[in-house]
Amino acid sequence: MQQAERSAAPPATAEAPFDFDVVFRTNYQSIARAVVRIIGDPARAEDLAVEAFCRLWRRPAAHGEQSGGWVYRTAVRLALDELRRRARRQRYEQLFSAFRGTAPAADELFSAAEERGRVRAVLSRLSRRDAELLLLRNEDLSYADIADAVGLNPESVGTLLVRARQAFGKEYVRTYGQP
Amino acid sequence: MGNPNRDRFDDTPWIDHGLHTLEVPTSFHPDTAAARARVDLAVRVAIGRRRRLLVVSALGVIALVGLPGTRALAKQMWNQLVLRRVVVVDVPRSDLADSVVEMFTMKPVASFNTGLDDRAAAERLADMHLMLPGNGVPSREPAWQAIEHLRLSTRPLDVVAIERALAAAGASDVTVPPEWEGTTLVAEGGPIIVADWNGMQLLQAAPFHITTSSSLQFSAFMTLAFRVFGQPPDAAATLGAALQTNPALVMRFPKRARIRSVPLQSGEHGVLVEEGAPEGAAFFWSTPGRIFALSGDELSAVQAAAIANSMR
């Protein structure tokens, strides 16, 4: 046990002592929840949340006051990547179905395209930054926190969020029609 | 200006509604303790991987080493290699593609790491008395780990690519036996025991075994390798013959490394490889039946020799 604790202590930066354990315990639950909101798969969400913290451990440059925001953003990115992977796979599967002449019936398609699925599909097609901004805002992060997490000037967060929403709306309507 | 945290897009509330459908399932209860344990495990694996890289560089130096004592050379296997004598072979060619160099040098292809509770557990696994320095390292008990098994292999030999590399080196007198196509050299060893003093690590293991395919004649293979690497014909033949008598793991090490031969009290020499930050330095030496590698962020020749001489 002692060895495990020692092994898991990441190198501290010269500027400030860094307590990985505190950052983990403070943020893990909320980050896991943020990820499960995005991908909807509880087991995978915990995997990705753990991976985000492992990345934090391996990245001394991210150790410090901004660690919480950094790991949050990393987890959201991992979740978005997962969404994209799943969307790609779905597209391939549909393609194969078409070749086999067993394309899913319209009602089957729509059963998978309920609102949550539609939102995830649209998010997977947005630019990474637009999707990140929308998801972080959806987590009720303040503009200042979003700016910290994404590395933006807080003054520009509002404008960028408007653009992200426009992109979301446009993609949604293009794909599914006006809600 | 208003509340800076208030969004300014009430004209599209359906977007908010959509995003808010991304709910946390009621059954979702993240297990913080389990997750923390997984992070610890991943971190330990990462540390193990770093050690594995150190082992790789250790073998990289062994690669430059001639091995003493003619071994009974079964057609396919050299067993119980013992490292005693050090020969540094320079590779003057810098234009060689990695894919060609890797046909003659070994890289790890599989390994299995495990943590160990204490020295007794390490000795049980290694089935030998483990030696530790009498001075030059912290007096406290190190953390113990083991690479239970390490397998290294060359890339399968591509005769056409080798002939092309030989031509580029001006070695038009050399032919590559076509039956060597796909040939590899494989070395296997372990367990390699790692004693870690947090910044300084000592690895020790029994010699590795080398396996080749039956079609390969080791001396000719090594002669060919040194020709490809740019050695003149006579030097390549001499090196090939030396390695026939004293087979070695053939590994690569970075050009930027500074290499020094360090005399030991035993009359043998060790090799100090200094790569500078962040790789640090490593020292390699052997006793009959055992090879050692000591690595640290900083390691001078004096320190390395003192530690190697104090092993007991």
Side-chain angles (χ1 to χ4, degrees), chain A residues 80-95:
Chain A
L80 282 169
D81 289 346
E82 177 79 11
L83 268 191
R84 290 199 175 98
R85 269 195 300 276
R86 291 181 180 202
R88 263 199 308 274
R89 198 174 61 220
Q90 261 181 351
R91 279 197 293 277
Y92 292 138
E93 284 168 0
Q94 285 176 13
L95 200 65

Side-chain angles (χ1 to χ4, degrees), chain B residues 80-94:
Chain B
Q80 294 301 309
L81 306 181
V82 181
L83 183 107
R84 297 284 291 279
R85 189 165 56 84
V86 174
V87 177
V88 175
V89 180
D90 187 30
V91 175
R93 285 187 73 182
S94 57

Side-chain angles (χ1 to χ4, degrees), chain A residues 11-171:
Chain A
T13 60
E15 296 77 30
F18 172 72
D19 191 331
F20 180 83
D21 202 52
V22 168
V23 175
F24 182 88
R25 293 190 185 285
T26 306
N27 293 287
Y28 178 73
Q29 286 276 334
S30 57
I31 284 174
R33 287 171 183 277
V35 175
V36 81
R37 273 195 196 97
I38 298 168
I39 64 171
D41 176 341
R44 187 68 184 135
E46 290 218 61
D47 288 345
L48 296 180
V50 165
E51 173 59 23
F53 279 99
C54 290
R55 291 188 182 192
L56 173 65
W57 189 93
R58 291 195 296 261
R59 194 174 176 85
H63 299 171
E65 288 181 7
Q66 311 303 326
S67 292
W70 188 93
V71 76
Y72 222 108
R73 182 188 60 184
T74 301
V76 166
R77 285 186 174 180
L78 289 170
L80 282 169
D81 289 346
E82 177 79 11
L83 268 191
R84 290 199 175 98
R85 269 195 300 276
R86 291 181 180 202
R88 263 199 308 274
R89 198 174 61 220
Q90 261 181 351
R91 279 197 293 277
Y92 292 138
E93 284 168 0
Q94 285 176 13
L95 200 65
F96 279 116
S97 299
F99 276 126
R100 289 199 305 268
T102 56
D107 57 345
E108 285 176 307
L109 281 176
F110 278 105
S111 71
E114 60 189 10
E115 188 61 11
R116 196 176 294 125
R118 288 180 172 189
V119 170
R120 288 183 178 129
V122 171
L123 285 169
S124 74
R125 288 178 214 137
L126 294 186
S127 75
R128 179 182 256 189
R129 190 172 73 175
D130 283 350
E132 276 175 24
L133 287 169
L134 290 174
L135 289 166
L136 291 170
R137 184 62 182 145
N138 198 44
E139 290 293 316
D140 284 333
L141 263 66
S142 69
Y143 283 15
D145 288 342
I146 292 173
D148 278 348
V150 186
L152 289 172
N153 182 338
E155 296 294 317
S156 58
V157 169
T159 305
L160 292 172
L161 263 171
V162 170
R163 289 183 192 155
R165 287 172 64 89
Q166 286 170 344
F168 181 95
K170 194 172 166 185
E171 179 63 27

